[in-house]
Amino acid sequence: MREIDPSFTALPLRTLADAALARARELGAEHADLRLERITSQYLLARDGRLQGAEDGEDLGLAVRVVHEGSWGFASGVVLTPEEAVRLAEEAVAVARVAAPMTARPGELAPEPVHADVTWVSDYEIDPFEVATRDKVDVLVDWTRRLGEGPAVDHARAYLLAVRENKFYADLAGTVTTQQRVRMQPGFEAMGSGADTFDSMASIAPPVGRGWEYVVGLADGSRPHDWDAEIAEVPELLAEKLKAPSVEAGTYDLVIHPSNLWLTIHESIGHATELDRALGYEANYAGTSFATPDLLGTLQYGSDVMHVTGDRTVRHGLASIGYDDEGVEPQSWDIVRDGVLVGYQLDRPMAMMLPELNTDPASGAPRSNGCAYADSPGHVPIQRMANVSLQPDPDPGGGATTDDLIGRVERGLYVVGDKSWSIDMQRFNFQFTGQRFYAVRDGEIVGQVRDAAYQATTTDFWGSMEAVGGPSTWELGGAFNCGKAQPGQVASVSHGCPTSLFRGVRILNTREEGGE
């Protein structure tokens, strides 16, 4: 376990918190919290053997949030002095007073045990910000050169986005947390053209809550992802795709690899089971949700092999934390069990909306499951997605392998890698494409097809899931760029899932749909 960067802990964290919280208490706030945050980021981009762009950033500031006479107030700034902390507390209370006449329901936060003087650091070996930029650039440039050696590759790009997030939180109840998270998104893409098409083939390596060891290997010599093997394979896969026949539209059985299925989980389950969306409080970035609370416990979300959990604790998860931005300890819970909707994702205000959803075993009081997050010190914490994951087959014998599932298909497609998607405002009607679609005949892969997209409604799609693979097929995918709210915020989130088998899914030919 690494230590929190001493340059962050050297900041006047406690002094600022004491000043802001004392002033908020003097002004009569029922709740007040201070969050001091530093987000360090780096983005590197190489193309065709050369560095094309490099960007380093740092976002440092503090924010005060209050509940005053039942109304919310918030203020943020960048000057790290006690005087500024006091001013922000006063401004947050002033905002709450202005909001009071417009507040229909008093602001409440679900109770949370006090977590005093706790620290947490995410699980990584090599801080990417302690690695020379030149060394990281050399890796990316080398990737593009090697990809470009493929005869079908016209251009190649490689990139790295790295983030180190430090947060300090303190509230009037006595919770004080200090945390550090590191996450990375390396990747590459090869582009080429055929007789009648232009296409690309990208890495299927997911973004992760790891450090630079994700690229160069772990201290024990193991590799979380085999970049060399994938770089050697992608040009050949692209060449095959450029020559592949266009898919025949119709109904197919699908075997979907985790590198594609994670995104369908994200859009059709993850966003649909955020309680603020389900209640209609949040309607930005593609709307609300069909999975409304009146359907809790009765909505048949999918087949009986469907078990989906929310989890803020999974190792290397992008949404894994020590404590959320309301001082809540992370948890794991069921969202869909035996195919039925049984839970939602909650922050402390949302937990008070449906108190029966998550209760403390000892007191019986409603409790958040730890889903509050703000993407910068200038933004207020909102309810954000946990690591929402489809669980593998619990068969003690190990469950089905990917080859087993493919072997059960007479006429179908095997889908690998994510690409584009579309979903409606209720998270119900959707379509997804992928990096690679392989035709399957009589249990065997017979080659790639292109121009394919699968289309369904959320409940029809998950209802068609006949089998999930065993733990050996389970992988953690995810995204750095989940958008929500207004003003918009961006969060990183992981989604684990096994390879899974779906029966009778509609396949579109995207060229035909586009009028070609």
Side-chain angles (χ1 to χ4, degrees):
M1 179 67 71
R2 297 181 62 93
E3 294 183 355
I4 294 173
D5 186 342
S7 69
F8 181 73
T9 55
L11 296 172
L13 307 173
R14 303 301 179 99
T15 301
L16 297 173
D18 290 346
L21 297 178
R23 184 57 177 147
R25 182 184 285 110
E26 289 174 0
L27 294 172
E30 301 99 68
H31 169 85
D33 58 62
L34 175 136
R35 179 170 40 88
L36 194 151
E37 193 166 343
R38 184 182 69 189
I39 300 172
T40 307
S41 62
Q42 183 178 62
Y43 179 68
L44 303 172
L45 175 64
R47 180 180 171 92
D48 297 337
R50 295 183 178 182
L51 177 66
Q52 190 173 56
E55 181 180 340
D56 292 280
E58 182 178 271
D59 188 4
L60 174 64
L62 69 161
V64 177
R65 186 181 66 155
V66 303
V67 179
H68 182 271
E69 296 183 358
S71 297
W72 289 97
F74 176 79
S76 63
V78 297
V79 179
L80 306 185
T81 64
E83 293 77 17
E84 176 69 355
V86 167
R87 189 192 70 79
L88 292 176
E90 293 170 345
E91 184 176 326
V93 170
V95 168
R97 287 172 173 157
V98 170
M102 300 173 282
T103 300
R105 177 172 181 153
E108 296 180 279
L109 287 86
E112 175 66 18
V114 172
H115 308 289
D117 294 322
V118 290
T119 61
W120 181 83
V121 179
S122 64
D123 189 358
Y124 65 94
E125 289 187 3
I126 305 172
D127 187 333
F129 296 94
E130 295 176 1
V131 178
T133 299
R134 178 74 262 174
D135 294 342
K136 291 176 280 191
V137 169
D138 286 346
V139 169
L140 300 181
V141 167
D142 178 61
W143 285 0
T144 66
R145 286 174 177 161
R146 289 156 60 191
L147 289 166
E149 293 171 359
V153 178
D154 296 329
H155 299 284
R157 70 183 187 105
Y159 55 87
L160 171 68
L161 177 57
V163 177
R164 183 176 62 205
E165 179 184 282
N166 292 109
K167 288 197 180 190
F168 171 83
Y169 170 93
D171 63 29
L172 283 178
T175 287
V176 179
T177 69
T178 311
Q179 303 182 81
Q180 180 164 297
R181 291 201 294 166
V182 166
R183 53 188 180 268
M184 292 213 324
Q185 184 174 25
F188 58 78
E189 184 177 23
M191 293 148 277
S193 56
D196 63 344
T197 188
F198 174 86
D199 218 319
S200 67
M201 189 69 66
S203 169
I204 62 170
V208 291
R210 290 184 182 268
W212 184 239
E213 72 277 1
Y214 187 41
V215 173
V216 298
L218 301 171
D220 63 8
S222 63
R223 298 178 68 86
H225 184 76
D226 193 337
W227 297 96
D228 292 336
E230 192 179 29
I231 287 168
E233 180 184 40
V234 158
E236 297 176 4
L237 293 171
L238 176 59
E240 181 186 359
K241 185 177 184 180
L242 291 170
K243 296 176 182 178
S246 192
V247 72
E248 179 183 344
T251 300
Y252 292 77
D253 295 339
L254 301 184
V255 176
I256 306 182
H257 187 267
S259 58
N260 181 274
L261 192 57
W262 77 265
L263 183 56
T264 312
I265 292 169
H266 177 86
E267 300 294 347
S268 67
I269 305 173
H271 278 305
T273 59
E274 295 171 312
L275 185 58
D276 57 350
R277 287 188 183 276
L279 289 173
Y281 283 87
E282 169 62 47
N284 295 293
Y285 284 92
T288 53
S289 174
F290 78 96
T292 50
D294 58 303
L295 302 176
L296 188 69
T298 62
L299 174 63
Q300 196 68 40
Y301 217 106
S303 70
D304 59 7
V305 301
M306 184 183 188
H307 179 201
V308 176
T309 60
D311 192 344
R312 294 282 263 167
T313 68
V314 64
R315 190 181 187 198
H316 304 307
L318 292 171
S320 298
I321 53 166
Y323 302 87
D324 80 348
D325 286 4
E326 293 178 327
V328 177
E329 193 169 17
Q331 300 157 46
S332 177
W333 68 98
D334 286 344
I335 294 175
V336 176
R337 186 173 56 244
D338 300 326
V340 177
L341 176 68
V342 296
Y344 290 95
Q345 302 163 75
L346 313 167
D347 61 9
R348 290 177 72 178
M350 284 295 113
M352 298 301 292
M353 300 291 184
L354 287 180
E356 67 276 14
L357 277 178
N358 188 37
T359 57
D360 182 86
S363 67
R367 190 179 181 207
S368 164
N369 45 39
C371 290
Y373 177 75
D375 69 352
S376 85
H379 284 156
V380 67
I382 58 173
Q383 183 183 297
R384 294 311 308 260
M385 201 181 298
N387 301 303
V388 175
S389 298
L390 175 67
Q391 297 306 304
D393 187 343
D395 181 354
T401 66
T402 297
D403 287 343
D404 292 337
L405 297 176
I406 291 172
R408 292 164 62 170
V409 174
E410 292 184 7
R411 178 179 180 270
L413 298 171
Y414 174 46
V415 190
V416 179
D418 63 86
K419 205 165 188 182
S420 65
W421 74 96
S422 177
I423 194 163
D424 72 5
M425 298 291 284
Q426 293 290 299
R427 300 282 160 178
F428 194 63
N429 297 282
F430 63 67
Q431 64 184 43
F432 289 84
T433 64
Q435 288 288 330
R436 310 194 290 272
F437 283 80
Y438 294 95
V440 178
R441 297 290 182 269
D442 299 322
E444 299 287 341
I445 290 177
V446 296
Q448 287 191 57
V449 295
R450 54 188 171 94
D451 309 322
Y454 59 91
Q455 182 185 58
T457 67
T458 293
T459 51
D460 283 348
F461 178 77
W462 292 108
S464 75
M465 185 168 64
E466 180 179 281
V468 293
S472 67
T473 74
W474 195 91
E475 296 182 10
L476 199 62
F480 252 51
N481 59 341
C482 175
K484 189 177 179 183
Q486 196 64 257
Q489 296 195 36
V490 175
S492 298
V493 60
S494 294
H495 302 285
C497 56
T499 303
S500 301
L501 170 61
F502 300 81
R503 297 292 191 184
V505 180
R506 184 184 180 193
I507 295 294
L508 305 177
N509 183 298
T510 56
R511 283 201 169 196
E512 293 174 0
E513 293 292 323
E516 296 184 33

